[in-house]
Every structure is written in C-alpha cells, then in structure tokens.
Amino acid sequence: RGGKTKEELVQRLQKAGYPTERVEKWVAEGRISQKGEEWWSDVNPLFRVLCYQHIFDNDSGTTTWDILASSKIPCHVMVADEKYTVCDEDTIQDMVKRMERCKVLRYPNGYHSIHNSKRDEFMKDLRRIISTC
C-alpha cells in the first residue's frame, strides 16, 4: 500500500485492476497521498483481487440475501452518492426484491467510505438501526 513514488503506487493499483479514472479520483480526494517520504494508498491493492475471488465472481451474495430474507432480521443497505458508489443500482433493486424488510439508505455527496464522508448522517442512522433491532 506504500511506495517511493506516486507513479509506482498508481501503477500497482492499475495492475490490480482498478480503472485509471478511479485511481486519479483517489489521488484528487487524498486517498492516495504523500506521508513523509513515502506515498501511501488508503486503498489496499489486494482488496479488489480478494473481492473478485470470494464475492463478485460467484453467487455468494444472492445466497446470503436469500438466507436473510428467510429470517426476521431487517436489512439496511447504506449507499454512497451515485457518483461515488461502487454499488450497482440493479443489484440494489434485486436485494430489495429478495428481502422485503430491506431498507436502502442513501447518502447524497457521500463517498464510498460513508462512515468517513458522511459521518454524522451515518452515525445517526446506525444508532437508529441498532436501537430498533
């Protein structure tokens, strides 16, 4: 996650499969920045690889949704602003169809890390969710 130069770090993220536009956005947002003499990425290059191996390239998500749908546990999907989210709208709607107790909470102007970019709103919602379980 660290490198001697920004270019080295950017190339490592691109090699891991992250699109150039997204990596450039992370630089602009400060998620890739210089820390002392080293450059640091808040995004772990291996994260994408692991996600694709264990989540995205299989149906484990839909299996989990079906299990949740058969329980009495409410589900809350917290979604960043459409400009910044990694969530696919069709997938969100599929979750809602499969789980009748699924509530979608949206965070306008929130980045992917909602707990950082929209902290007050996120914490308010999280407290409400926990207190009504």
Side-chain angles (χ1 to χ4, degrees), residues 7-132:
E7 291 74 23
E8 174 189 341
L9 201 49
V10 167
Q11 285 177 358
R12 193 174 311 138
L13 288 163
Q14 290 170 329
K15 187 176 180 181
Y18 288 102
T20 301
E21 306 80 40
R22 183 169 297 159
V23 175
E24 290 171 354
K25 183 173 73 169
W26 291 336
V27 172
E29 293 172 357
R31 293 176 75 180
I32 297 172
S33 60
Q34 194 166 8
K35 307 281 186 195
E37 294 184 21
E38 186 178 67
W39 280 82
W40 179 257
S41 170
D42 291 343
V43 179
N44 187 327
L46 294 178
F47 179 76
R48 181 180 178 92
V49 173
L50 291 171
C51 282
Y52 274 88
Q53 286 176 348
H54 298 284
I55 299 170
F56 299 137
D57 284 346
N58 61 59
D59 67 353
S60 65
T62 56
T63 302
T64 302
W65 302 342
D66 292 340
I67 292 168
L68 285 171
S70 68
S71 75
K72 295 182 181 186
I73 299 170
C75 177
H76 296 82
V77 180
M78 301 167 117
V79 183
D81 190 285
E82 63 184 13
K83 293 181 290 192
Y84 309 112
T85 188
V86 296
C87 297
D88 175 70
E89 189 61 34
D90 289 339
T91 302
I92 294 169
Q93 293 311 312
D94 190 20
M95 290 172 125
V96 170
K97 279 188 222 170
R98 287 173 179 264
M99 299 181 287
E100 65 184 51
R101 287 176 300 283
C102 182
K103 292 182 175 55
V104 179
L105 305 171
R106 299 188 185 267
Y107 298 85
N109 299 314
Y111 297 125
H112 172 68
S113 301
I114 302 164
H115 60 282
N116 289 323
S117 61
K118 299 303 277 183
R119 183 171 179 74
D120 292 342
E121 294 93 330
F122 175 86
M123 291 306 297
K124 177 182 172 192
D125 287 338
L126 188 59
R127 284 185 186 103
R128 181 181 47 74
I129 290 166
I130 292 169
S131 69
T132 57

